[in-house]
Amino acid sequence: MVIRYPALGEEYGQIQTDYFLELLNLALSRSGKVYRLEPVIMSEFRESRSVMSVAKGMYDVHWMNTNERRESVLRPIRIPLYKGLIGWRLLMIRDGDQARFATLDGLEPLKSLKTVQGHDWPDTNVLLHNGFNVVRSASWEGMFKMLYAGRVDYFPRSALEVWDEVEAFSELDFSVDQSLALVYPSAYYFFVNRANREVAEAIERGLDRAIEDGSFDELFLSYHGESIRRAKLDQRKILRIDNPMMTPQTPLDREELWYQP
């Protein structure tokens, strides 16, 4: 069984790509299938475009943040690859703004400030639905520059991403707010073509077996354990909001799939 996936020659965030590929290999190794993974080299890709690339058969599987539209076009394997922590958002802020954010006592003061998100990110619509003041940007690096320049006040990033990003943009003197966590249901899934039943069932079967034997959590913590420890999620003020794009099929009742501090 040959399974093709998208790959970039050079990209920021390679460590996350490595995690997804290791997890895909882990799942397929537990699936009982003989398989081979093949990269499809891309000059660039965005999740919104990748949906159609999978649908058109350019490659067979991609890891993406879920929403209702993506689940209607593609076949999701509904096992959250980040254990839901993609929806645990810490606030990247400018150095010197720590005291300002420490005084925020709820959602409304945070909503009155300006934040930034990618123009085609599912998280953008989550924040807009909940009444946040969101500035959209098509440029990845541009979002960090907007924060540095004071055009926005904060940039909510996953607890698994924010530390690497602060380091990657160290010349801009960012820090992570120490007091708040903005939380909403969210999941990265493996997605395949809706007609590709064999691949979907193999990945799902393998992931379930990896969860059962503990190898899923072992791999997850090998990549993300240090970020989770640094986040100190159990010591933060939790601000919960809704995610209207999560479908009724989201397996929220399977407690073993979701991280809890």
Side-chain angles (χ1 to χ4, degrees):
M1 187 168 61
V2 177
I3 301 174
R4 298 164 300 155
Y5 66 91
L8 295 179
E10 295 289 339
E11 64 169 323
Y12 169 70
Q14 182 62 41
I15 188 170
Q16 299 302 333
T17 298
D18 291 346
Y19 168 66
F20 289 127
L21 286 178
E22 277 204 55
L23 193 53
L24 183 59
N25 263 307
L26 175 64
L28 291 169
S29 72
R30 298 289 196 276
S31 70
K33 291 284 188 178
V34 178
Y35 71 96
R36 183 174 76 252
L37 290 176
E38 287 188 356
V40 176
I41 304 301
M42 312 288 289
S43 59
E44 63 90 23
F45 58 68
R46 295 176 181 168
E47 286 188 5
S48 56
R49 294 180 181 177
S50 194
V51 172
M52 297 315 300
S53 296
V54 176
K56 293 177 180 178
M58 292 180 61
Y59 38 84
D60 302 301
V61 61
H62 198 192
W63 41 89
M64 290 181 276
N65 203 346
T66 194
N67 61 32
E68 189 172 13
R69 178 184 177 276
R70 291 175 185 179
E71 292 192 25
S72 68
V73 175
L74 302 178
R75 179 169 178 160
I77 291 87
R78 291 190 177 92
I79 295 176
L81 306 179
Y82 283 133
K83 297 179 70 70
L85 275 172
I86 197 68
W88 284 71
R89 297 279 161 158
L90 307 187
L91 310 183
M92 185 184 296
I93 59 177
R94 292 180 293 275
D95 279 356
D97 278 356
Q98 196 68 244
R100 178 189 186 191
F101 281 83
T103 63
L104 299 182
D105 59 0
L107 279 170
E108 294 310 313
L110 190 61
K111 290 179 184 180
S112 69
L113 303 177
K114 287 185 179 180
T115 188
V116 64
Q117 293 283 280
H119 76 95
D120 64 344
W121 292 1
D123 308 275
T124 303
N125 290 328
V126 172
L127 294 176
L128 289 171
H129 171 81
N130 285 276
F132 283 77
N133 188 358
V134 181
V135 179
R136 303 186 193 215
S137 173
S139 168
W140 168 251
E141 292 189 355
M143 287 184 271
F144 297 91
K145 292 177 180 178
M146 289 169 68
L147 177 59
Y148 176 75
R151 292 177 57 194
V152 298
D153 300 294
Y154 66 98
F155 189 5
R157 307 300 295 139
S158 163
L160 304 181
E161 302 168 320
V162 67
W163 311 105
D164 289 335
E165 292 173 351
V166 166
E167 183 177 343
F169 293 92
S170 58
E171 73 280 4
L172 300 183
D173 296 325
F174 295 138
S175 60
V176 180
D177 162 65
Q178 298 174 5
S179 57
L180 303 175
L182 184 65
V183 179
Y184 47 90
S186 187
Y188 257 73
Y189 294 145
F190 286 127
F191 284 88
V192 303
N193 188 291
R194 293 191 70 83
N196 205 340
R197 179 178 177 181
E198 181 183 19
V199 170
E201 290 181 348
I203 294 173
E204 184 170 14
R205 180 167 59 251
L207 285 175
D208 278 330
R209 289 174 177 173
I211 291 167
E212 185 176 353
D213 68 21
S215 56
F216 183 111
D217 279 356
E218 183 178 355
L219 178 61
F220 175 77
L221 290 173
S222 73
Y223 274 89
H224 305 301
E226 179 58 26
S227 294
I228 293 170
R229 286 188 288 272
R230 292 182 69 181
K232 299 179 180 177
L233 298 175
D234 60 338
Q235 300 177 27
R236 292 175 175 271
K237 182 185 297 182
I238 306 300
L239 304 178
R240 295 188 182 273
I241 59 176
D242 298 326
N243 183 350
M245 293 181 294
M246 299 299 280
T247 66
Q249 293 81 17
T250 305
L252 296 174
D253 58 334
R254 292 186 61 185
E255 294 184 2
E256 74 276 15
L257 301 183
W258 307 91
Y259 180 84
Q260 292 296 331

